Amino acid sequence: MAARLDYKWHLRQVMASRGMFQTTDLTGPLADRDITLSSSQVYRLVTERPERLSLKILMALLDILDCSIDDLIEPVAVAEQPRKAKAASGAGAGVGSLRPKRARIAPAD
């Protein structure tokens, strides 16, 4: 089975190494490259790890920060967590003794 891959996003660190300490420092340079993002979008781009990112924005960031893609994105392998075996009786379901008893239908006398 192939290892699952994930990544670390280093935009904030790269910006700081270039003397850019505010998220608004990117707004003007992005606008110069015909990329219009709201202040909240730029903030999320800097402070959070993006799940989706257009190549146009990525190329603009690389140009603005004069860095390579390796400086912004660090691939990391995710360790597989062992799967827990589930008990067939439902004891591992977290309800313990609160599990209801099965109903029995008896014929009417």
Side-chain angles (χ1 to χ4, degrees), residues 20-51:
M20 301 171 80
F21 297 102
Q22 297 179 349
T23 59
T24 55
D25 292 340
L26 281 180
T27 307
L30 285 171
D32 294 341
R33 290 161 180 82
D34 295 326
I35 297 173
T36 306
L37 296 176
S38 69
S39 59
S40 63
Q41 288 173 318
V42 174
Y43 177 81
R44 284 194 311 267
L45 183 65
V46 173
T47 60
E48 298 174 9
R49 188 180 80 152
E51 291 297 320

PDB file of all heavy atoms in Angstrom, residues 20-51:
ATOM      1  N   MET A  20       7.836  40.810   5.121  1.00  0.00           N
ATOM      2  CA  MET A  20       6.398  41.053   4.974  1.00  0.00           C
ATOM      3  C   MET A  20       5.708  40.415   6.176  1.00  0.00           C
ATOM      4  O   MET A  20       5.615  39.192   6.256  1.00  0.00           O
ATOM      5  CB  MET A  20       5.882  40.456   3.667  1.00  0.00           C
ATOM      6  CG  MET A  20       6.563  41.009   2.433  1.00  0.00           C
ATOM      7  SD  MET A  20       6.124  40.105   0.942  1.00  0.00           S
ATOM      8  CE  MET A  20       4.545  40.820   0.580  1.00  0.00           C
ATOM      9  N   PHE A  21       5.239  41.238   7.110  1.00  0.00           N
ATOM     10  CA  PHE A  21       4.685  40.710   8.343  1.00  0.00           C
ATOM     11  C   PHE A  21       3.172  40.866   8.446  1.00  0.00           C
ATOM     12  O   PHE A  21       2.575  40.390   9.393  1.00  0.00           O
ATOM     13  CB  PHE A  21       5.371  41.377   9.543  1.00  0.00           C
ATOM     14  CG  PHE A  21       6.839  41.082   9.597  1.00  0.00           C
ATOM     15  CD1 PHE A  21       7.763  42.022   9.174  1.00  0.00           C
ATOM     16  CD2 PHE A  21       7.297  39.860  10.037  1.00  0.00           C
ATOM     17  CE1 PHE A  21       9.120  41.750   9.210  1.00  0.00           C
ATOM     18  CE2 PHE A  21       8.646  39.577  10.078  1.00  0.00           C
ATOM     19  CZ  PHE A  21       9.567  40.517   9.667  1.00  0.00           C
ATOM     20  N   GLN A  22       2.558  41.532   7.505  1.00  0.00           N
ATOM     21  CA  GLN A  22       1.104  41.702   7.512  1.00  0.00           C
ATOM     22  C   GLN A  22       0.513  41.053   6.275  1.00  0.00           C
ATOM     23  O   GLN A  22       1.119  41.079   5.194  1.00  0.00           O
ATOM     24  CB  GLN A  22       0.743  43.183   7.546  1.00  0.00           C
ATOM     25  CG  GLN A  22       1.224  43.881   8.796  1.00  0.00           C
ATOM     26  CD  GLN A  22       0.869  45.357   8.786  1.00  0.00           C
ATOM     27  OE1 GLN A  22       0.442  45.892   7.771  1.00  0.00           O
ATOM     28  NE2 GLN A  22       1.058  46.006   9.917  1.00  0.00           N
ATOM     29  N   THR A  23      -0.667  40.498   6.437  1.00  0.00           N
ATOM     30  CA  THR A  23      -1.304  39.847   5.301  1.00  0.00           C
ATOM     31  C   THR A  23      -1.638  40.848   4.200  1.00  0.00           C
ATOM     32  O   THR A  23      -1.652  40.496   3.026  1.00  0.00           O
ATOM     33  CB  THR A  23      -2.582  39.107   5.740  1.00  0.00           C
ATOM     34  OG1 THR A  23      -3.486  40.035   6.338  1.00  0.00           O
ATOM     35  CG2 THR A  23      -2.258  38.014   6.735  1.00  0.00           C
ATOM     36  N   THR A  24      -1.861  42.104   4.581  1.00  0.00           N
ATOM     37  CA  THR A  24      -2.194  43.118   3.576  1.00  0.00           C
ATOM     38  C   THR A  24      -0.992  43.472   2.702  1.00  0.00           C
ATOM     39  O   THR A  24      -1.169  44.125   1.670  1.00  0.00           O
ATOM     40  CB  THR A  24      -2.728  44.387   4.256  1.00  0.00           C
ATOM     41  OG1 THR A  24      -1.772  44.839   5.216  1.00  0.00           O
ATOM     42  CG2 THR A  24      -4.054  44.119   4.952  1.00  0.00           C
ATOM     43  N   ASP A  25       0.204  43.031   3.091  1.00  0.00           N
ATOM     44  CA  ASP A  25       1.385  43.274   2.263  1.00  0.00           C
ATOM     45  C   ASP A  25       1.305  42.538   0.924  1.00  0.00           C
ATOM     46  O   ASP A  25       2.020  42.886  -0.011  1.00  0.00           O
ATOM     47  CB  ASP A  25       2.660  42.837   2.997  1.00  0.00           C
ATOM     48  CG  ASP A  25       2.963  43.713   4.210  1.00  0.00           C
ATOM     49  OD1 ASP A  25       2.442  44.847   4.263  1.00  0.00           O
ATOM     50  OD2 ASP A  25       3.712  43.260   5.093  1.00  0.00           O
ATOM     51  N   LEU A  26       0.437  41.539   0.836  1.00  0.00           N
ATOM     52  CA  LEU A  26       0.288  40.789  -0.419  1.00  0.00           C
ATOM     53  C   LEU A  26      -0.770  41.378  -1.346  1.00  0.00           C
ATOM     54  O   LEU A  26      -0.753  41.112  -2.547  1.00  0.00           O
ATOM     55  CB  LEU A  26      -0.098  39.333  -0.124  1.00  0.00           C
ATOM     56  CG  LEU A  26       1.012  38.395   0.295  1.00  0.00           C
ATOM     57  CD1 LEU A  26       0.442  37.009   0.545  1.00  0.00           C
ATOM     58  CD2 LEU A  26       2.098  38.330  -0.753  1.00  0.00           C
ATOM     59  N   THR A  27      -1.684  42.156  -0.817  1.00  0.00           N
ATOM     60  CA  THR A  27      -2.813  42.641  -1.605  1.00  0.00           C
ATOM     61  C   THR A  27      -2.374  43.460  -2.816  1.00  0.00           C
ATOM     62  O   THR A  27      -2.820  43.201  -3.936  1.00  0.00           O
ATOM     63  CB  THR A  27      -3.760  43.475  -0.727  1.00  0.00           C
ATOM     64  OG1 THR A  27      -4.118  42.706   0.421  1.00  0.00           O
ATOM     65  CG2 THR A  27      -5.011  43.854  -1.484  1.00  0.00           C
ATOM     66  N   GLY A  28      -1.486  44.416  -2.615  1.00  0.00           N
ATOM     67  CA  GLY A  28      -1.006  45.259  -3.714  1.00  0.00           C
ATOM     68  C   GLY A  28      -0.238  44.485  -4.767  1.00  0.00           C
ATOM     69  O   GLY A  28      -0.548  44.588  -5.967  1.00  0.00           O
ATOM     70  N   PRO A  29       0.767  43.696  -4.363  1.00  0.00           N
ATOM     71  CA  PRO A  29       1.507  42.921  -5.369  1.00  0.00           C
ATOM     72  C   PRO A  29       0.624  41.929  -6.133  1.00  0.00           C
ATOM     73  O   PRO A  29       0.843  41.693  -7.317  1.00  0.00           O
ATOM     74  CB  PRO A  29       2.562  42.191  -4.545  1.00  0.00           C
ATOM     75  CG  PRO A  29       2.775  43.044  -3.345  1.00  0.00           C
ATOM     76  CD  PRO A  29       1.432  43.647  -3.064  1.00  0.00           C
ATOM     77  N   LEU A  30      -0.378  41.352  -5.473  1.00  0.00           N
ATOM     78  CA  LEU A  30      -1.292  40.454  -6.187  1.00  0.00           C
ATOM     79  C   LEU A  30      -2.132  41.250  -7.185  1.00  0.00           C
ATOM     80  O   LEU A  30      -2.365  40.786  -8.313  1.00  0.00           O
ATOM     81  CB  LEU A  30      -2.203  39.712  -5.203  1.00  0.00           C
ATOM     82  CG  LEU A  30      -1.566  38.576  -4.408  1.00  0.00           C
ATOM     83  CD1 LEU A  30      -2.511  38.084  -3.318  1.00  0.00           C
ATOM     84  CD2 LEU A  30      -1.153  37.431  -5.309  1.00  0.00           C
ATOM     85  N   ALA A  31      -2.573  42.440  -6.788  1.00  0.00           N
ATOM     86  CA  ALA A  31      -3.369  43.282  -7.690  1.00  0.00           C
ATOM     87  C   ALA A  31      -2.544  43.710  -8.898  1.00  0.00           C
ATOM     88  O   ALA A  31      -3.077  43.824 -10.008  1.00  0.00           O
ATOM     89  CB  ALA A  31      -3.901  44.499  -6.947  1.00  0.00           C
ATOM     90  N   ASP A  32      -1.231  43.938  -8.706  1.00  0.00           N
ATOM     91  CA  ASP A  32      -0.358  44.285  -9.825  1.00  0.00           C
ATOM     92  C   ASP A  32      -0.290  43.166 -10.856  1.00  0.00           C
ATOM     93  O   ASP A  32       0.017  43.399 -12.026  1.00  0.00           O
ATOM     94  CB  ASP A  32       1.064  44.588  -9.331  1.00  0.00           C
ATOM     95  CG  ASP A  32       1.116  45.851  -8.473  1.00  0.00           C
ATOM     96  OD1 ASP A  32       0.160  46.665  -8.556  1.00  0.00           O
ATOM     97  OD2 ASP A  32       2.109  46.010  -7.730  1.00  0.00           O
ATOM     98  N   ARG A  33      -0.575  41.961 -10.430  1.00  0.00           N
ATOM     99  CA  ARG A  33      -0.549  40.790 -11.318  1.00  0.00           C
ATOM    100  C   ARG A  33      -1.959  40.367 -11.718  1.00  0.00           C
ATOM    101  O   ARG A  33      -2.195  39.215 -12.060  1.00  0.00           O
ATOM    102  CB  ARG A  33       0.195  39.662 -10.633  1.00  0.00           C
ATOM    103  CG  ARG A  33       1.691  39.948 -10.532  1.00  0.00           C
ATOM    104  CD  ARG A  33       2.361  39.096  -9.476  1.00  0.00           C
ATOM    105  NE  ARG A  33       3.791  39.392  -9.410  1.00  0.00           N
ATOM    106  CZ  ARG A  33       4.326  40.405  -8.741  1.00  0.00           C
ATOM    107  NH1 ARG A  33       3.551  41.253  -8.097  1.00  0.00           N
ATOM    108  NH2 ARG A  33       5.627  40.582  -8.722  1.00  0.00           N
ATOM    109  N   ASP A  34      -2.911  41.282 -11.636  1.00  0.00           N
ATOM    110  CA  ASP A  34      -4.315  41.064 -12.019  1.00  0.00           C
ATOM    111  C   ASP A  34      -4.999  39.960 -11.220  1.00  0.00           C
ATOM    112  O   ASP A  34      -5.831  39.229 -11.747  1.00  0.00           O
ATOM    113  CB  ASP A  34      -4.426  40.763 -13.525  1.00  0.00           C
ATOM    114  CG  ASP A  34      -4.013  41.945 -14.369  1.00  0.00           C
ATOM    115  OD1 ASP A  34      -4.265  43.087 -13.931  1.00  0.00           O
ATOM    116  OD2 ASP A  34      -3.434  41.738 -15.456  1.00  0.00           O
ATOM    117  N   ILE A  35      -4.651  39.850  -9.946  1.00  0.00           N
ATOM    118  CA  ILE A  35      -5.314  38.900  -9.054  1.00  0.00           C
ATOM    119  C   ILE A  35      -5.984  39.711  -7.956  1.00  0.00           C
ATOM    120  O   ILE A  35      -5.317  40.388  -7.182  1.00  0.00           O
ATOM    121  CB  ILE A  35      -4.322  37.888  -8.456  1.00  0.00           C
ATOM    122  CG1 ILE A  35      -3.708  37.049  -9.572  1.00  0.00           C
ATOM    123  CG2 ILE A  35      -5.016  37.007  -7.427  1.00  0.00           C
ATOM    124  CD1 ILE A  35      -2.615  36.133  -9.130  1.00  0.00           C
ATOM    125  N   THR A  36      -7.301  39.653  -7.924  1.00  0.00           N
ATOM    126  CA  THR A  36      -8.063  40.405  -6.938  1.00  0.00           C
ATOM    127  C   THR A  36      -8.616  39.447  -5.905  1.00  0.00           C
ATOM    128  O   THR A  36      -9.469  38.613  -6.209  1.00  0.00           O
ATOM    129  CB  THR A  36      -9.218  41.163  -7.613  1.00  0.00           C
ATOM    130  OG1 THR A  36      -8.690  41.961  -8.673  1.00  0.00           O
ATOM    131  CG2 THR A  36      -9.938  42.048  -6.620  1.00  0.00           C
ATOM    132  N   LEU A  37      -8.113  39.561  -4.688  1.00  0.00           N
ATOM    133  CA  LEU A  37      -8.606  38.762  -3.572  1.00  0.00           C
ATOM    134  C   LEU A  37      -9.052  39.721  -2.474  1.00  0.00           C
ATOM    135  O   LEU A  37      -8.448  40.772  -2.269  1.00  0.00           O
ATOM    136  CB  LEU A  37      -7.514  37.846  -3.020  1.00  0.00           C
ATOM    137  CG  LEU A  37      -6.961  36.755  -3.934  1.00  0.00           C
ATOM    138  CD1 LEU A  37      -5.824  36.017  -3.251  1.00  0.00           C
ATOM    139  CD2 LEU A  37      -8.054  35.788  -4.325  1.00  0.00           C
ATOM    140  N   SER A  38     -10.106  39.342  -1.768  1.00  0.00           N
ATOM    141  CA  SER A  38     -10.551  40.168  -0.644  1.00  0.00           C
ATOM    142  C   SER A  38      -9.538  40.046   0.490  1.00  0.00           C
ATOM    143  O   SER A  38      -8.701  39.138   0.502  1.00  0.00           O
ATOM    144  CB  SER A  38     -11.934  39.718  -0.168  1.00  0.00           C
ATOM    145  OG  SER A  38     -11.846  38.442   0.431  1.00  0.00           O
ATOM    146  N   SER A  39      -9.624  40.948   1.443  1.00  0.00           N
ATOM    147  CA  SER A  39      -8.685  40.905   2.565  1.00  0.00           C
ATOM    148  C   SER A  39      -8.850  39.621   3.369  1.00  0.00           C
ATOM    149  O   SER A  39      -7.867  39.064   3.862  1.00  0.00           O
ATOM    150  CB  SER A  39      -8.873  42.122   3.469  1.00  0.00           C
ATOM    151  OG  SER A  39     -10.191  42.168   3.961  1.00  0.00           O
ATOM    152  N   SER A  40     -10.073  39.110   3.476  1.00  0.00           N
ATOM    153  CA  SER A  40     -10.275  37.856   4.205  1.00  0.00           C
ATOM    154  C   SER A  40      -9.706  36.666   3.434  1.00  0.00           C
ATOM    155  O   SER A  40      -9.185  35.723   4.034  1.00  0.00           O
ATOM    156  CB  SER A  40     -11.746  37.631   4.519  1.00  0.00           C
ATOM    157  OG  SER A  40     -12.496  37.495   3.336  1.00  0.00           O
ATOM    158  N   GLN A  41      -9.775  36.690   2.100  1.00  0.00           N
ATOM    159  CA  GLN A  41      -9.173  35.614   1.308  1.00  0.00           C
ATOM    160  C   GLN A  41      -7.661  35.615   1.444  1.00  0.00           C
ATOM    161  O   GLN A  41      -7.043  34.557   1.563  1.00  0.00           O
ATOM    162  CB  GLN A  41      -9.572  35.758  -0.160  1.00  0.00           C
ATOM    163  CG  GLN A  41     -11.011  35.421  -0.437  1.00  0.00           C
ATOM    164  CD  GLN A  41     -11.394  35.738  -1.868  1.00  0.00           C
ATOM    165  OE1 GLN A  41     -11.014  36.776  -2.416  1.00  0.00           O
ATOM    166  NE2 GLN A  41     -12.157  34.843  -2.471  1.00  0.00           N
ATOM    167  N   VAL A  42      -7.047  36.782   1.433  1.00  0.00           N
ATOM    168  CA  VAL A  42      -5.593  36.877   1.603  1.00  0.00           C
ATOM    169  C   VAL A  42      -5.209  36.415   3.001  1.00  0.00           C
ATOM    170  O   VAL A  42      -4.244  35.679   3.184  1.00  0.00           O
ATOM    171  CB  VAL A  42      -5.092  38.315   1.333  1.00  0.00           C
ATOM    172  CG1 VAL A  42      -3.612  38.438   1.649  1.00  0.00           C
ATOM    173  CG2 VAL A  42      -5.361  38.710  -0.104  1.00  0.00           C
ATOM    174  N   TYR A  43      -5.998  36.810   3.997  1.00  0.00           N
ATOM    175  CA  TYR A  43      -5.729  36.393   5.372  1.00  0.00           C
ATOM    176  C   TYR A  43      -5.758  34.874   5.494  1.00  0.00           C
ATOM    177  O   TYR A  43      -4.869  34.264   6.086  1.00  0.00           O
ATOM    178  CB  TYR A  43      -6.756  37.027   6.320  1.00  0.00           C
ATOM    179  CG  TYR A  43      -6.597  36.581   7.752  1.00  0.00           C
ATOM    180  CD1 TYR A  43      -5.640  37.162   8.577  1.00  0.00           C
ATOM    181  CD2 TYR A  43      -7.394  35.567   8.279  1.00  0.00           C
ATOM    182  CE1 TYR A  43      -5.488  36.759   9.888  1.00  0.00           C
ATOM    183  CE2 TYR A  43      -7.242  35.156   9.588  1.00  0.00           C
ATOM    184  CZ  TYR A  43      -6.288  35.748  10.388  1.00  0.00           C
ATOM    185  OH  TYR A  43      -6.125  35.329  11.682  1.00  0.00           O
ATOM    186  N   ARG A  44      -6.798  34.237   4.921  1.00  0.00           N
ATOM    187  CA  ARG A  44      -6.893  32.770   4.972  1.00  0.00           C
ATOM    188  C   ARG A  44      -5.754  32.115   4.216  1.00  0.00           C
ATOM    189  O   ARG A  44      -5.242  31.076   4.632  1.00  0.00           O
ATOM    190  CB  ARG A  44      -8.242  32.312   4.423  1.00  0.00           C
ATOM    191  CG  ARG A  44      -9.380  32.530   5.387  1.00  0.00           C
ATOM    192  CD  ARG A  44     -10.632  31.761   4.975  1.00  0.00           C
ATOM    193  NE  ARG A  44     -10.997  31.932   3.572  1.00  0.00           N
ATOM    194  CZ  ARG A  44     -11.847  32.838   3.123  1.00  0.00           C
ATOM    195  NH1 ARG A  44     -12.424  33.672   3.962  1.00  0.00           N
ATOM    196  NH2 ARG A  44     -12.130  32.913   1.851  1.00  0.00           N
ATOM    197  N   LEU A  45      -5.359  32.702   3.106  1.00  0.00           N
ATOM    198  CA  LEU A  45      -4.258  32.159   2.316  1.00  0.00           C
ATOM    199  C   LEU A  45      -2.958  32.150   3.120  1.00  0.00           C
ATOM    200  O   LEU A  45      -2.173  31.205   3.046  1.00  0.00           O
ATOM    201  CB  LEU A  45      -4.085  32.980   1.039  1.00  0.00           C
ATOM    202  CG  LEU A  45      -3.037  32.534   0.043  1.00  0.00           C
ATOM    203  CD1 LEU A  45      -3.400  31.179  -0.540  1.00  0.00           C
ATOM    204  CD2 LEU A  45      -2.899  33.566  -1.060  1.00  0.00           C
ATOM    205  N   VAL A  46      -2.741  33.192   3.904  1.00  0.00           N
ATOM    206  CA  VAL A  46      -1.507  33.313   4.681  1.00  0.00           C
ATOM    207  C   VAL A  46      -1.556  32.486   5.958  1.00  0.00           C
ATOM    208  O   VAL A  46      -0.591  31.807   6.306  1.00  0.00           O
ATOM    209  CB  VAL A  46      -1.223  34.795   5.017  1.00  0.00           C
ATOM    210  CG1 VAL A  46      -0.042  34.923   5.964  1.00  0.00           C
ATOM    211  CG2 VAL A  46      -0.962  35.584   3.744  1.00  0.00           C
ATOM    212  N   THR A  47      -2.681  32.511   6.663  1.00  0.00           N
ATOM    213  CA  THR A  47      -2.727  31.898   7.991  1.00  0.00           C
ATOM    214  C   THR A  47      -3.176  30.447   8.000  1.00  0.00           C
ATOM    215  O   THR A  47      -2.907  29.737   8.962  1.00  0.00           O
ATOM    216  CB  THR A  47      -3.671  32.689   8.913  1.00  0.00           C
ATOM    217  OG1 THR A  47      -4.983  32.695   8.349  1.00  0.00           O
ATOM    218  CG2 THR A  47      -3.163  34.100   9.105  1.00  0.00           C
ATOM    219  N   GLU A  48      -3.850  29.998   6.952  1.00  0.00           N
ATOM    220  CA  GLU A  48      -4.340  28.625   6.915  1.00  0.00           C
ATOM    221  C   GLU A  48      -3.717  27.873   5.749  1.00  0.00           C
ATOM    222  O   GLU A  48      -3.224  28.463   4.807  1.00  0.00           O
ATOM    223  CB  GLU A  48      -5.865  28.605   6.756  1.00  0.00           C
ATOM    224  CG  GLU A  48      -6.598  29.265   7.894  1.00  0.00           C
ATOM    225  CD  GLU A  48      -8.090  29.348   7.639  1.00  0.00           C
ATOM    226  OE1 GLU A  48      -8.579  28.744   6.655  1.00  0.00           O
ATOM    227  OE2 GLU A  48      -8.771  30.033   8.416  1.00  0.00           O
ATOM    228  N   ARG A  49      -3.768  26.577   5.843  1.00  0.00           N
ATOM    229  CA  ARG A  49      -3.265  25.730   4.770  1.00  0.00           C
ATOM    230  C   ARG A  49      -4.364  25.584   3.720  1.00  0.00           C
ATOM    231  O   ARG A  49      -5.444  25.079   4.011  1.00  0.00           O
ATOM    232  CB  ARG A  49      -2.916  24.367   5.350  1.00  0.00           C
ATOM    233  CG  ARG A  49      -2.216  23.452   4.400  1.00  0.00           C
ATOM    234  CD  ARG A  49      -1.940  22.169   5.083  1.00  0.00           C
ATOM    235  NE  ARG A  49      -3.164  21.378   5.063  1.00  0.00           N
ATOM    236  CZ  ARG A  49      -3.189  20.065   5.070  1.00  0.00           C
ATOM    237  NH1 ARG A  49      -2.076  19.397   5.175  1.00  0.00           N
ATOM    238  NH2 ARG A  49      -4.320  19.427   5.027  1.00  0.00           N
ATOM    239  N   PRO A  50      -4.124  26.052   2.487  1.00  0.00           N
ATOM    240  CA  PRO A  50      -5.185  25.981   1.472  1.00  0.00           C
ATOM    241  C   PRO A  50      -5.409  24.548   0.987  1.00  0.00           C
ATOM    242  O   PRO A  50      -4.454  23.794   0.794  1.00  0.00           O
ATOM    243  CB  PRO A  50      -4.650  26.866   0.345  1.00  0.00           C
ATOM    244  CG  PRO A  50      -3.180  26.871   0.522  1.00  0.00           C
ATOM    245  CD  PRO A  50      -2.920  26.712   1.977  1.00  0.00           C
ATOM    246  N   GLU A  51      -6.669  24.184   0.826  1.00  0.00           N
ATOM    247  CA  GLU A  51      -7.008  22.878   0.266  1.00  0.00           C
ATOM    248  C   GLU A  51      -6.980  22.934  -1.261  1.00  0.00           C
ATOM    249  O   GLU A  51      -6.621  21.964  -1.907  1.00  0.00           O
ATOM    250  CB  GLU A  51      -8.390  22.435   0.750  1.00  0.00           C
ATOM    251  CG  GLU A  51      -8.431  22.110   2.227  1.00  0.00           C
ATOM    252  CD  GLU A  51      -7.537  20.940   2.602  1.00  0.00           C
ATOM    253  OE1 GLU A  51      -7.476  19.956   1.846  1.00  0.00           O
ATOM    254  OE2 GLU A  51      -6.896  21.026   3.663  1.00  0.00           O
TER     255      GLU A  51
END
